[in-house]
């Protein structure tokens, strides 16, 4: 049963009785026409636009904070001539710039589906996630290379107090941005934004390396900075592993098994559903889509089966967070001696 939600209308959209509309009704109709809105199961854009707006807001806020952090550190770099702090400043500036591809992805994700891109442009977020993972990897290589170079050729650190303060500023700015990006990313379901938050956390670790290295240099240990740098490189590699795993899972359409369990439980409680067959969930950007086959009484009419499918979709939309569309197919309950109508498709599954 294809797209059972096509003609479904929620009760709150039918509040006004026929006749002359009230001023509130006229305003509601005008707003309805000017706002992207649809009852189609493949075109529920309101929640998606809201989540994209939150993602863009998170990017702009974090870009501002990291830009201010890098600017403050740059002032200290000019005054102290610290090469370590210069590297940290460039790193923070690069982290701020990773917001650009993710911001482009959020903007693209708001575009409507086309006949070529029938699922829309939500996958642009996954591509941005790949860019972010590559950026984290480059950060690990750069940090490790710099640490080894400092280990082989130790250099004195001057103006230690100013460098230490700038390092603390760098850590504080990056950690705040990391927490903010990760929280918003998880709330809207954006793996790329979470990965970008993890990247900001690695830069905070780099700032701590500058602080600890400066402290060691103040105590007379010239190898403190490169030794700590190597330790931070190892920490960055661990963060890289987590970010890469999250983005890889999203690219491979992985979902939390608990969401599948919840969906199956909710569908089983819908009146008229005799069983839940195949159930699939997939992320498209930071939005979920579902495909499900239900077993219903084979004696019901097409209209009754359609009603059951619509109620099942409605239940899923309420129960599964960030689910924006579900395609529900109704299968008749098999009876003894009846040939399975799906047998005609069997040879396609093995081709």
């Amino acid at each position: 049963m294809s797209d059972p939600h096509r003609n479904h209308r929620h009760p709150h959209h039918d509040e006004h009785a026929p006749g002359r509309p009230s001023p509130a009704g006229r305003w509601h109709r005008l707003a309805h026409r000017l706002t992207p809105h649809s009852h189609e199961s493949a075109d529920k854009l309101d929640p998606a636009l809201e989540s994209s707006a939150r993602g863009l807001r998170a990017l702009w806020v974090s870009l501002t904070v990291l830009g201010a952090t890098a600017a403050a550190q740059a002032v200290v770099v000019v005054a102290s001539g610290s090469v370590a702090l210069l590297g940290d400043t460039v790193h923070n500036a690069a982290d701020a710039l990773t917001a650009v591809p993710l911001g482009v992805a959020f903007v693209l994700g708001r575009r409507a589906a086309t006949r070529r891109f029938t699922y829309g442009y939500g996958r642009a977020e996954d591509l941005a996630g790949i860019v972010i993972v590559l950026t984290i990897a480059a950060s690990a290589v750069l940090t490790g290379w710099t640490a080894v170079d400092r280990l082989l050729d130790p250099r004195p650190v001057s103006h230690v107090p100013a460098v230490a303060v700038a390092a603390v500023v760098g850590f504080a700015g990056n950690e705040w941005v990391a927490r903010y990006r990760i929280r918003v990313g998880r709330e809207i379901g954006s793996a790329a934004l979470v990965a970008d938050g993890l990247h900001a956390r690695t830069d905070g670790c780099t700032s701590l390396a500058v602080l600890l290295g400066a402290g060691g240099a103040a105590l007379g240990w010239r190898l403190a900075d490169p030794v700590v740098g190597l330790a931070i490189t190892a920490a960055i590699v661990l963060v890289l592993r987590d970010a890469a795993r999250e983005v890889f899972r999203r690219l491979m359409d992985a979902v939390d098994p608990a969401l599948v369990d919840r969906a199956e439980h909710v569908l089983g409680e819908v009146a008229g559903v005799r069983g839940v067959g195949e159930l699939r969930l997939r992320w498209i950007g930071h939005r979920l889509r579902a495909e499900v086959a239900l077993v219903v009484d084979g004696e019901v009419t097409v209209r009754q089966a359609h009603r059951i499918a619509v109620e099942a979709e409605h239940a899923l939309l309420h129960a599964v967070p960030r689910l924006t569309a579900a395609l529900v197919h109704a299968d008749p309950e098999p009876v003894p001696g009846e040939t399975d109508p799906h047998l005609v498709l069997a040879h396609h599954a093995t081709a």
Side-chain angles (χ1 to χ4, degrees):
M1 181 169 294
S2 176
D3 201 1
H5 196 62
R6 181 172 301 277
N7 296 317
H8 175 57
R9 303 184 68 189
H10 291 292
H12 67 273
H13 293 133
D14 298 321
E15 293 175 339
H16 304 293
R20 184 176 182 178
S22 64
R26 289 194 295 269
W27 171 253
H28 175 77
R29 291 184 180 181
L30 177 61
H32 185 87
R33 292 180 180 179
L34 296 178
T35 305
H37 187 88
S38 173
H39 299 290
E40 302 279 341
S41 63
D43 195 27
K44 296 186 177 109
L45 295 180
D46 292 345
L49 288 173
E50 173 60 24
S51 59
S52 294
R54 291 190 61 195
L56 285 170
R57 184 165 57 248
L59 291 175
W60 282 114
V61 171
S62 59
L63 177 61
T64 301
V65 172
L66 289 177
T69 299
Q73 288 183 313
V75 173
V76 180
V77 168
V78 173
S80 67
S82 171
V83 177
L85 187 59
L86 174 62
D88 188 41
T89 303
V90 172
H91 203 180
N92 286 332
D95 183 45
L97 293 177
T98 60
V100 174
L102 192 51
V104 172
F106 278 127
V107 172
L108 283 176
R110 303 170 88 170
R111 296 181 61 182
T114 66
R115 292 184 64 83
R116 181 177 296 276
F117 297 96
T118 56
Y119 281 95
Y121 295 81
R123 287 288 190 180
E125 284 188 42
D126 300 326
L127 297 178
I130 295 176
V131 174
I132 292 168
V133 167
L134 293 177
T135 304
I136 298 176
S139 301
V141 172
L142 177 62
T143 304
W145 179 272
T146 304
V148 171
D149 179 65
R150 289 295 180 87
L151 192 63
L152 298 176
D153 183 20
R155 305 170 193 173
V157 178
S158 60
H159 301 281
V160 173
V163 173
V165 171
V168 171
V169 171
F171 170 75
N174 277 288
E175 181 60 23
W176 187 90
V177 167
R179 291 174 180 267
Y180 183 49
R181 286 177 174 175
I182 291 172
R183 176 175 59 83
V184 175
R186 287 176 176 168
E187 288 176 355
I188 69 174
S190 173
L193 188 56
V194 172
D196 211 19
L198 293 173
H199 181 205
R201 181 156 288 163
T202 66
D203 288 350
C205 293
T206 304
S207 297
L208 282 182
V210 175
L211 176 62
L212 295 177
L219 296 175
W221 186 27
R222 299 184 66 183
L223 296 180
D225 186 44
V227 169
V228 173
L230 288 175
I232 294 304
T233 300
I236 294 175
V237 170
L238 294 177
V239 175
L240 172 63
R241 180 198 63 182
D242 294 340
R245 179 171 55 192
E246 187 160 0
V247 172
F248 173 77
R249 287 177 176 176
R250 186 61 60 86
L251 288 171
M252 295 299 294
D253 287 332
V255 297
D256 185 353
L259 291 178
V260 181
D261 295 338
R262 179 185 300 184
E264 288 178 338
H265 175 74
V266 169
L267 289 171
E269 293 185 339
V270 174
V273 173
R274 300 289 181 89
V276 180
E278 188 176 55
L279 171 62
R280 295 181 179 181
L281 297 172
R282 71 183 308 189
W283 288 98
I284 300 179
H286 51 271
R287 301 186 291 273
L288 274 172
R289 290 182 65 94
E291 296 177 6
V292 58
L294 300 178
V295 178
V296 300
D297 185 357
E299 301 302 320
V300 300
T301 65
V302 173
R303 292 186 180 277
Q304 290 172 324
H306 175 264
R307 177 184 55 79
I308 295 172
V310 169
E311 290 179 358
E313 181 183 6
H314 196 196
L316 280 178
L317 292 172
H318 281 285
V320 180
R322 294 184 291 276
L323 180 70
T324 58
L327 181 63
V328 184
H329 175 79
D331 286 325
E333 189 174 28
V335 297
E338 182 183 40
T339 302
D340 185 358
H342 296 102
L343 287 178
V344 68
L345 305 175
H347 68 283
H348 292 284
T350 58

